[in-house]
Amino acid sequence: MKELNKINFNFEIARPWFALSFFWFIIIIFLGIVMRFSFAFNVVLPTPIEFTRHAHSHTAFWGWAGPAFFGFILAILIDETKRSRVYENIL
């Protein structure tokens, strides 16, 4: 009988997604630091702060959280489909 609590995780299939996620996370850190310095030291940004804030939040979600989530889901799904062989043609 298959254990339901045990999740096998395929790191090899998720590695490119985690690398992409890490790359965008570094960019998000840079945008966050620029925003904090603009508040603290009254630095003039080339765009209004509202646009920078929206760019920071949207890039945070779609840039690093999205690929990391997709990498987790894909790594779990690939491992499960290798066992069942039902979705072999799709993947």
Side-chain angles (χ1 to χ4, degrees):
M1 186 170 187
K2 183 179 170 183
E3 287 185 35
L4 295 177
N5 293 333
K6 184 178 178 185
I7 296 176
N8 292 329
F9 195 79
N10 188 354
F11 281 106
E12 293 303 316
I13 198 76
R15 190 179 309 255
W17 292 100
F18 293 151
L20 179 68
S21 176
F22 182 72
F23 170 75
W24 282 106
F25 187 68
I26 298 300
I27 291 175
I28 292 306
I29 289 172
F30 175 73
L31 273 175
I33 290 172
V34 166
M35 285 175 34
R36 286 295 176 188
F37 274 115
S38 70
F39 286 134
F41 300 113
N42 203 9
V43 175
V44 177
L45 297 175
T47 60
I49 193 66
E50 292 84 17
F51 296 159
T52 308
R53 187 176 348 148
H54 287 298
H56 175 75
S57 65
H58 286 88
T59 308
F61 180 72
W62 292 110
W64 79 269
F69 179 71
F70 186 70
F72 279 119
I73 296 299
L74 187 64
I76 292 169
L77 186 78
I78 291 290
D79 191 55
E80 290 295 320
T81 55
K82 281 186 179 178
R83 273 191 253 141
S84 67
R85 300 283 185 204
V86 173
Y87 298 105
E88 189 174 280
N89 295 340
I90 296 172
L91 300 172

